Amino acid sequence: GVQVALFGRRLDAAPDALPGWTRGTVIVGDARSAGAAGRAEHAIVRRTGRAEDRVAGVALALTDAELRAADAYEPAEYA
């Protein structure tokens, strides 16, 4: 998968959540990202600040170098 391709390993993960955020979608113009996923529309989270909003997921354990690699991998629309 993407983790092994990008970091050379599967990352340690722990259940977590983002309170005050909600799920949405964004159209990605980067052909590399859209092509890898097979579609231009990608999932994204958006900050709402509302206590009733919450996105469940996982927290990944990354080194500083891995975080830089992840930032470089993601398309500009994720910034």
Side-chain angles (χ1 to χ4, degrees):
V2 172
Q3 289 182 13
V4 173
L6 212 69
F7 310 120
R9 67 183 181 96
R10 298 254 324 144
L11 301 174
D12 293 332
D16 207 347
L18 290 171
W21 292 71
T22 189
R23 291 180 182 263
T25 58
V26 64
I27 302 299
V28 174
D30 180 338
R32 176 187 56 96
S33 295
R39 63 191 189 290
E41 187 175 61
H42 289 234
I44 195 166
V45 294
R46 290 191 171 89
R47 182 172 169 72
T48 66
R50 297 186 322 211
E52 65 271 18
D53 291 335
R54 181 180 188 88
V55 176
V58 297
L60 301 173
L62 298 166
T63 66
D64 289 344
E66 289 168 336
L67 182 57
R68 285 190 297 277
D71 285 344
Y73 171 83
E74 295 297 352
E77 291 85 356
Y78 275 31

